[in-house]
Amino acid sequence: MRIRTLPAATALAVLFSSAALAVTSAAPALADSSAVLPITSTGDVVVDGVHHRVFISDPAGGKVVVTDYSGTVVGTVDSLPGVRGLELSADSNTLYAAVQKADAIVAIDTATATEAHRYPTGDGTGPEYPALTGGRLWFGYGASGDGNIGSLDLSGADPVVTLKQDTTRTWYSAPVLGSSAGAPGTLVAGAPGQSPAELAVYDVSSGAANRTAYVFDPGDSSNLTDLAVTPDGKDVVTASGAPYKHEVFKLADLSEDGSYPTNPYPNAVDIAPDGAVAAGTFSWYDPDVHVFVPGGSTPVREYDFPNTGTSSGSDTLAASGLAWAPDASRLFAVSYNDSDVYSLRVLTDPAKADTTLTATVPATAPRAKSLSVTGTLTSSAALPAGTTVSVTRTDAESPAGRTLGTATVGADGSYTFADTPQARGKVTYTVTYAGDAHHAGATATGTVNVSPSTAALSLNNGGKVYAYDSAVKFTAHLGTTYKNRKVDLYADPYGGDKPEKLVKSGTVDSSGNLSVTLTLTRDTKLTAKFAGDTRYTPATATSTVGTRVRVSSALSGFYTSKKAWNQTYRYFRKSKDPVYDTTMTAYKGRKYRAEVELYSQGAWRATHSEYLALGSGGKDTLELTGTPPTNVRFRIRSSYVDTKSGDNVNSTTYGSWKYFLFTG
């Protein structure tokens, strides 16, 4: 007998403070994909669109991790103690990393993911935040009470480092820097983690940092974490712990220029080349990433990370943990759970609002008569006036499709297109919305049967679920046709080892019926096929039915059983480990779900659920070990859950509950 153990401390854990059982499960990931990162912290994220690489700094680990666009690690640059801010050159050939504890700016070759040069910035400078503009690499540096801005000029034969570029002594510690190709020669700086916040703008076109704008406590903000300059060079968007929005300030004078409403607590921002704003928040119980079109007040997309840890809150976005791919096709987000496990989440086409397109045509229509294709185009973001959809017709005369023209979408999202089909038979209209920079494309189809007439064919029992080994009669019904009255019936049991096969073929009876009786051991798809004739089109009907498994279970090791609470309870000594046997219809790789529940506060409450592999012949034995609580009502059952039990061959089948409790 094969015995596995399930500790009672796990299966029967009781929170005596609330008399309830606590079970934590991971919710499905909402992001398009994710991959665990080999880091213990994060400082910055930069995307190289030329080499399709993502660079993530790990200050605690003293390294920069390099991944591809799927999150697979393809390289690591070590010996970078305290590395934080990253900046990519305009040609994507070089990544500049500010290495605080090495007092250096390190140039990384993006093609090889190796260190190419190291530029010392001076003892004790501790550079943290780099930004390229005005022909130089600028960096925020300095310990508490000695923050300032420096520059690295690489234009000559020898690199030149210039410190104390901010002669106004604005900064208590190393400031966060930002720049944009849309504002050449302009540098934006902010005080990180400070309450209230400070912002400043500098003209650095001459090689010196001349402050042109400054504001203390901009927008009543505090605890600045991140900032990004818009591609047009007009504004800077900030992410501060408060207020609960991503604020926008004009570079000209740092006056307020709007905001992007988010939620507690803003901690990251990045802006795509087309102006789409990715606003990130440190939010356990709310969405973590909010994507806005430029100037928008409502997100076109929001992402709420799943919980991969053990706390009640979900994974959270790392500070400064957002970065767009240069073509805005992807947004990369670094998150972490309560166990400090970091993940790179890849969000596809996040700046494009979802669109829904429908197409409706008559089910049948006479040949050479006008018909209408109608439908709606809707989106989570308003569509521009004059939006059009294109219409293509595919039929026997144009099997590759023929473009008919466009239809303009009205203010209510509706459209109408008129056409006169000439070919007989199946005619398909394909309506396409190409999308734009802020809306995803969509396609919808509608099919009309244009002479000859459509044959009516049906098959009963669809959606029904039967017991294992049931004999079920399936009947196909064929409506009016011209000469052909023959129908073929096929059965396709679930599972790759049993292919579809013809189970009955013949002429329907005077009522139009053809039947076959099958003994079901698996979920089965039945298909009825009519080949058609000179007046009626071919027809196919399907009926998918479910088949449950056989499942039985038994508890052993109890010293007595009694009728109580309208059930039969098995009583176990606290010192006796219950043995629970399960027998289930066998299938390769099949698992069963063992569930344990506790009765508390007038209701049964889940305490443990686990999928366990069945042994030879579909059997398994589970021993509940440990020291359980006494005089507490428990129940256990075994179930087959479609797909989750390792296959989709049968329909979900719940075994009967077995009730038990422990005494002293």
Side-chain angles (χ1 to χ4, degrees):
M1 176 178 68
R2 183 170 67 95
I3 297 178
R4 69 171 84 244
T5 60
L6 181 66
T10 298
L12 309 175
V14 179
L15 295 178
F16 292 103
S17 62
S18 61
L21 296 176
V23 176
T24 301
S25 61
L30 298 181
D32 295 308
S33 66
S34 66
V36 173
L37 292 169
I39 60 176
T40 57
S41 68
T42 186
D44 201 1
V45 186
V46 167
V47 181
D48 170 8
V50 173
H51 302 99
H52 284 193
R53 296 290 184 260
V54 182
F55 296 85
I56 304 116
S57 64
D58 178 3
K63 61 187 177 182
V64 170
V65 172
V66 189
T67 77
D68 60 18
Y69 271 15
S70 68
T72 301
V73 176
V74 296
T76 302
V77 184
D78 294 308
S79 301
L80 304 175
V83 61
R84 183 171 299 280
L86 306 174
E87 181 80 342
L88 186 67
S89 64
D91 59 9
S92 292
N93 289 334
T94 305
L95 178 76
Y96 295 98
V99 187
Q100 181 189 29
K101 294 182 180 179
D103 296 326
I105 299 295
V106 172
I108 296 171
D109 186 321
T110 55
T112 61
T114 58
E115 180 176 331
H117 300 283
R118 183 168 293 222
Y119 306 103
T121 56
D123 292 343
T125 51
E128 294 189 65
Y129 306 102
L132 283 165
T133 190
R136 297 189 181 197
L137 180 73
W138 300 83
F139 55 91
Y141 73 92
S144 297
D146 196 27
N148 211 304
I149 297 173
S151 65
L152 173 62
D153 185 358
L154 299 173
S155 61
D158 297 314
V160 177
V161 173
T162 304
L163 301 177
K164 297 183 179 180
Q165 288 274 29
D166 183 1
T167 59
T168 62
R169 295 300 306 275
T170 302
W171 311 107
Y172 179 76
S173 60
V176 178
L177 303 184
S179 61
S180 169
T186 299
L187 185 70
V188 182
Q194 180 178 293
S195 180
E198 290 180 87
L199 290 176
V201 180
Y202 300 86
D203 179 355
V204 298
S205 58
S206 66
N210 299 308
R211 197 172 77 180
T212 59
Y214 169 79
V215 62
F216 181 80
D217 195 14
D220 298 323
S221 62
S222 59
N223 300 315
L224 174 74
T225 301
D226 202 4
L227 58 81
V229 182
T230 56
D232 61 8
K234 176 177 174 288
D235 294 311
V236 59
V237 182
T238 62
S240 300
Y244 304 150
K245 57 186 177 180
H246 286 62
E247 298 182 287
V248 184
F249 302 95
K250 296 179 181 179
L251 261 61
D253 56 7
L254 290 177
S255 60
E256 294 184 37
D257 198 21
S259 65
Y260 294 98
T262 50
N263 47 253
Y265 298 91
N267 71 341
V269 61
D270 197 36
I271 306 175
D274 63 1
V277 176
T281 53
F282 177 88
S283 306
W284 278 338
Y285 305 102
D286 293 301
D288 305 273
V289 180
H290 322 259
V291 182
F292 297 83
V293 298
S297 59
T298 302
V300 294
R301 290 279 184 90
E302 285 189 306
Y303 295 88
D304 192 1
F305 296 153
N307 184 355
T308 66
T310 59
S311 67
S312 61
S314 64
D315 290 12
T316 51
L317 178 70
S320 303
L322 292 175
W324 286 95
D327 62 359
S329 63
R330 295 170 180 84
L331 176 64
F332 298 91
V334 176
S335 67
Y336 61 96
N337 63 21
D338 64 325
S339 299
D340 287 333
V341 175
Y342 284 76
S343 297
L344 179 65
R345 303 189 179 277
V346 185
L347 316 177
T348 304
D349 282 337
K352 294 186 178 182
D354 287 325
T355 54
T356 301
L357 181 63
T358 65
T360 302
V361 296
T364 60
R367 189 185 68 85
K369 297 291 184 181
S370 179
L371 58 77
S372 293
V373 181
T374 61
T376 58
L377 177 66
T378 57
S379 175
S380 56
L383 293 161
T387 295
T388 61
V389 294
S390 61
V391 184
T392 300
R393 182 183 66 211
T394 304
D395 55 25
E397 295 179 359
S398 303
R402 178 183 177 185
T403 301
L404 303 179
T406 61
T408 300
V409 179
D412 61 353
S414 65
Y415 69 87
T416 299
F417 188 89
D419 183 48
T420 303
Q422 298 296 324
R424 300 190 307 162
K426 180 180 178 181
V427 178
T428 298
Y429 290 91
T430 301
V431 183
T432 302
Y433 169 60
D436 58 26
H438 302 295
H439 300 84
T443 299
T445 60
T447 300
V448 53
N449 285 306
V450 179
S451 303
S453 301
T454 302
L457 182 63
S458 62
L459 191 58
N460 67 341
N461 297 331
K464 294 181 180 179
V465 180
Y466 297 92
Y468 187 85
D469 231 13
S470 295
V472 180
K473 181 179 180 181
F474 294 90
T475 299
H477 178 76
L478 179 64
T480 302
T481 62
Y482 181 46
K483 290 183 178 180
N484 186 12
R485 301 295 290 166
K486 180 175 175 289
V487 171
D488 296 324
L489 294 175
Y490 295 84
D492 186 7
Y494 277 36
D497 56 330
K498 290 186 178 293
E500 182 182 62
K501 67 177 181 178
L502 181 67
V503 293
K504 187 73 173 284
S505 179
T507 302
V508 298
D509 61 21
S510 59
S511 298
N513 297 327
L514 180 70
S515 300
V516 64
T517 299
L518 301 177
T519 300
L520 301 178
T521 59
R522 300 183 180 187
D523 293 352
T524 303
K525 178 181 178 182
L526 278 295
T527 303
K529 295 184 178 180
F530 168 64
D533 57 28
T534 58
R535 297 185 183 181
Y536 286 80
T537 58
T540 300
T542 61
S543 174
T544 300
V545 297
T547 303
R548 302 185 184 92
V549 300
R550 282 178 175 159
V551 57
S552 61
S553 61
L555 280 168
S556 60
F558 55 90
Y559 68 87
T560 189
S561 62
K562 297 179 182 180
K563 190 77 173 182
W565 299 288
N566 296 319
Q567 301 291 343
T568 298
Y569 275 78
R570 273 68 171 176
Y571 287 74
F572 292 86
R573 300 295 184 191
K574 186 176 182 179
S575 60
K576 181 68 175 179
D577 293 334
V579 175
Y580 180 66
D581 294 299
T582 296
T583 301
M584 183 178 290
T585 304
Y587 187 77
K588 182 179 179 181
R590 178 164 287 179
K591 301 177 183 179
Y592 71 98
R593 184 172 71 180
E595 300 175 82
V596 181
E597 291 188 352
L598 160 77
Y599 192 81
S600 174
Q601 297 181 346
W604 287 103
R605 305 178 187 278
T607 180
H608 187 79
S609 177
E610 184 174 355
Y611 285 89
L612 303 171
L614 289 166
S616 176
K619 298 179 181 295
D620 192 51
T621 297
L622 181 65
E623 186 177 32
L624 304 179
T625 64
T627 304
T630 58
N631 300 316
V632 177
R633 294 158 59 187
F634 291 98
R635 65 181 184 179
I636 186 171
R637 73 175 178 184
S638 298
S639 304
Y640 167 85
V641 181
D642 193 356
T643 302
K644 292 185 179 180
S645 283
D647 61 80
N648 67 338
V649 170
N650 290 94
S651 295
T652 297
T653 309
Y654 296 100
S656 60
W657 289 106
K658 304 300 181 184
Y659 296 80
F660 63 103
L661 54 79
F662 295 91
T663 60

